[in-house]
């Protein structure tokens, strides 16, 4: 009887671990939430119970609603470590950490790898002429980073030759089933990253923690983000404590044909403006989405604004006057308080504001506070239209 018990115990152990020492996981094992973001709303990181502090613990990342308008969308990415294997019941995507090569379909993902010191893991990007990161351009010159194209027009032959461990996708209004279907056919893991959906400036930056996890830099990425959040919140509190005067009214954006898009009062840019000591000119948009208004309404708003920022393709007051002559005499233009976020731009027109600015919200906040005070020098991303 003892022999039978011993045999059954051995058989059970073999079923659990396999003959090569691998661990057979189940998706249900991942019950310990080891990273619940303080600011981001789009992801959580889970581990097996009692393994949250183990360096070699596998993690299950749950990503929620990673594109505009998504509701009840959930995707999962299993980050395997040591000899752990993909659970038989797992239907999501899986990679083994640290990833060797990654393809980034958004420049903000490049900035996250750069922020955690892992830019060299990037093997492919979308729109390399618009990437500001100097290391990416160096690697491009060395033939180590390639432009794989856009959306459904990706160069799949090139993508396959790069042999990436993971493709980080960017969703606009939904999953690109043509693209994800092709990636599944090629057995290339992928996941949508939802940083651009985050309304909190610190929430956008917090996605770097996930990037750090992929690179086996869990602790380092959390520490880097914590330092960014501390600097941001310290400056925000100081601005609030020092604010005794009327908050400047801020106009945003430029017309697209005959329409002007004004962001939601809860949006990323409006959060930054308010944290910097300004007041958004169009707080009545509480829809959660940008709202289109006509030129006449935009003009009435502009006549009340003290400051005008984010002027798109306009890089000078001459551009503004020639393309929107009606706005040439609004107060912000008359007092030369018009600013654009393209101080750091590529020759093709890519703006580092939407790249490294995503992971440096403390520097963006500093810029906005300075321009609201009408200070002249030492900007990171903004420049005054002359």
């Amino acid at each position: 009887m003892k022999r039978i018990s011993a045999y059954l115990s051995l058989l059970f152990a073999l079923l659990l671990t396999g003959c090569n020492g691998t661990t057979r996981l189940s998706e249900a094992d991942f019950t310990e939430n080891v990273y619940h973001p303080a600011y981001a709303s789009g992801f959580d990181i889970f581990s097996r119970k009692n393994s949250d502090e183990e360096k070699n613990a596998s993690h299950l990342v749950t990503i929620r609603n990673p594109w505009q308008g998504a509701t009840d969308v959930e995707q999962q990415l299993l980050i395997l470590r040591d000899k752990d294997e993909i659970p038989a019941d797992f239907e999501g995507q899986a990679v083994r950490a640290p990833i060797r090569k990654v393809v980034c379909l958004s420049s903000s993902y490049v900035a996250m790898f750069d922020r955690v010191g892992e830019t060299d893991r990037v093997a492919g990007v979308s729109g390399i002429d618009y990437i500001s990161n100097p290391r990416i351009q160096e690697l491009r010159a060395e033939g180590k980073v390639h432009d794989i194209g856009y959306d459904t027009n990706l160069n799949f032959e090139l993508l396959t030759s790069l042999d990436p461990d993971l493709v980080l996708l960017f969703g606009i209004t939904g999953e690109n089933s043509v693209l994800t279907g092709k990636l599944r056919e090629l057995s290339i893991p992928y996941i949508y990253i939802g940083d651009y959906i985050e309304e909190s400036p610190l929430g956008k930056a917090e996605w770097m923690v996930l990037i750090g996890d992929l690179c086996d830099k869990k602790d380092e990425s959390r520490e880097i983000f914590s330092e960014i959040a501390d600097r941001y919140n310290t400056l925000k509190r100081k601005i609030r404590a020092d604010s005794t005067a009327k908050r400047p009214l801020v106009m945003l954006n430029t017309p697209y044909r005959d329409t002007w898009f004004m962001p939601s009062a809860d949006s990323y840019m409006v959060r930054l403006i308010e944290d910097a000591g300004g007041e958004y000119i169009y707080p009545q948009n509480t829809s959660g989405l940008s709202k289109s208004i006509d030129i006449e309404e935009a003009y009435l708003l502009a006549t009340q604004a003290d400051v005008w920022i984010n002027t798109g393709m306009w890089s000078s007051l001459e551009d503004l006057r020639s393309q929107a002559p009606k706005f040439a005499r609004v107060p912000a233009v008359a007092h030369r308080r018009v600013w654009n976020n393209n101080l750091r731009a590529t020759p093709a027109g890519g703006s580092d504001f939407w790249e490294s600015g995503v992971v440096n919200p403390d520097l963006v906040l500093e810029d906005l506070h300075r321009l609201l005070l009408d200070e002249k020098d030492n900007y990171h991303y903004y420049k005054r239209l002359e």
Side-chain angles (χ1 to χ4, degrees):
M1 187 69 179
K2 289 182 179 178
R3 285 184 180 180
I4 294 174
S5 296
Y7 173 76
L8 290 174
S9 297
L10 176 60
L11 179 61
F12 183 68
L14 288 172
L15 288 172
L16 284 177
T17 63
C19 60
N20 61 352
T22 59
T23 302
R24 302 297 179 186
L25 302 175
S26 168
E27 184 180 337
D29 293 335
F30 292 88
T31 58
E32 192 83 9
N33 191 325
V34 293
Y35 192 82
H36 179 66
Y39 303 92
S41 61
F43 75 97
D44 280 283
I45 301 175
F46 296 87
S47 184
R48 284 173 290 161
K49 195 166 184 63
N50 301 323
S51 67
D52 53 312
E53 295 305 320
E54 295 177 12
K55 182 176 179 59
N56 294 323
S58 294
H59 285 159
L60 179 66
V61 181
T62 298
I63 293 177
R64 296 176 297 275
N65 301 326
W67 51 73
Q68 196 169 38
T71 55
D72 300 322
V73 173
E74 185 173 287
Q75 299 184 343
Q76 292 182 316
L77 177 67
L78 183 60
I79 304 175
L80 294 166
R81 291 187 172 86
D82 202 15
K83 294 182 179 180
D84 289 353
E85 296 293 338
I86 303 172
D89 61 344
F90 185 63
E91 297 181 356
Q93 300 292 309
V95 295
R96 188 164 295 280
I99 55 171
R100 301 169 301 110
K101 297 180 185 177
V102 65
V103 170
C104 299
L105 296 196
S106 170
S107 62
S108 65
Y109 311 160
V110 173
M112 292 177 196
F113 278 93
D114 185 70
R115 201 68 178 80
V116 299
E118 296 294 339
T119 317
D120 285 14
R121 297 186 189 272
V122 178
V125 297
S126 180
I128 200 165
D129 289 337
Y130 299 94
I131 302 290
S132 297
N133 188 278
R135 180 57 181 160
I136 291 295
Q137 297 303 334
E138 288 175 9
L139 293 170
R140 175 192 194 179
E142 296 170 7
K144 296 177 180 177
V145 173
H146 302 270
D147 192 334
I148 63 162
Y150 296 91
D151 204 23
T152 52
N153 295 317
L154 295 187
N155 184 335
F156 288 104
E157 184 177 352
L158 174 58
L159 178 62
T160 304
S161 73
L162 296 178
D163 189 28
D165 296 321
L166 182 65
V167 178
L168 298 180
L169 301 179
F170 176 83
I172 300 175
T173 57
E175 179 178 354
N176 184 333
S177 58
V178 173
L179 173 56
T180 56
K182 186 65 176 179
L183 290 173
R184 284 194 296 270
E185 179 187 322
L186 296 170
S187 298
I188 298 175
Y190 64 87
I191 198 72
Y192 280 90
I193 298 294
D195 65 306
Y196 91 100
I197 294 298
E198 301 289 350
E199 294 173 340
S200 161
L202 287 171
K204 286 184 183 292
E206 197 166 10
W207 282 79
M208 75 172 67
V209 172
L210 168 55
I211 301 304
D213 206 331
L214 289 167
C215 302
D216 271 351
K217 283 196 166 181
K218 170 177 69 74
D219 295 334
E220 294 93 330
S221 62
R222 295 181 190 186
E223 183 177 351
I224 291 167
F225 174 71
S226 178
E227 291 170 353
I228 292 168
D230 285 346
R231 288 194 296 271
Y232 186 99
N233 288 323
T234 297
L235 178 56
K236 176 182 171 181
R237 286 192 294 269
K238 183 178 184 302
I239 291 169
R240 188 170 296 172
D242 292 346
S243 181
T244 55
K246 180 178 178 292
R247 296 160 69 90
L249 285 170
V250 181
M251 181 67 177
L252 280 165
N253 302 338
T254 53
Y256 176 72
R257 295 179 180 169
D258 294 327
T259 303
W260 205 295
F261 289 94
M262 300 297 289
S264 164
D266 295 322
S267 69
Y268 166 74
M269 275 308 309
V270 174
R271 296 273 186 94
L272 280 164
I273 288 167
E274 293 175 346
D275 289 349
E279 183 176 342
Y280 180 39
I281 196 75
Y282 198 62
Q284 57 266 46
N285 179 14
T286 57
S287 67
L289 300 171
S290 290
K291 181 180 179 181
S292 61
I293 60 176
D294 61 32
I295 297 297
E296 288 303 318
E297 186 174 2
Y299 175 72
L300 289 174
L301 293 173
T303 60
Q304 303 168 50
D306 301 298
V307 179
W308 183 356
I309 66 171
N310 297 4
T311 57
M313 298 303 292
W314 299 348
S315 292
S316 68
L317 291 179
E318 182 56 36
D319 289 342
L320 188 157
R321 293 185 182 109
S322 64
Q323 296 180 45
K326 183 175 181 132
F327 291 78
R329 295 191 180 184
V330 300
V333 177
H335 298 121
R336 296 179 57 253
R337 299 194 67 183
V338 184
W339 300 77
N340 205 358
N341 53 8
N342 63 348
L343 177 62
R344 299 155 63 102
T346 71
S351 174
D352 195 35
F353 178 86
W354 300 110
E355 188 176 324
S356 74
V358 171
V359 293
N360 293 309
D362 51 326
L363 301 184
V364 175
L365 182 65
E366 184 180 314
D367 270 12
L368 287 169
H369 182 54
R370 290 176 63 80
L371 71 82
L372 290 175
L373 295 177
D374 206 20
E375 297 185 3
K376 299 190 182 305
D377 301 311
N378 301 320
Y379 287 88
H380 305 283
Y381 299 101
Y382 276 88
K383 70 175 184 179
R384 190 193 303 267
L385 268 60
E386 301 291 355

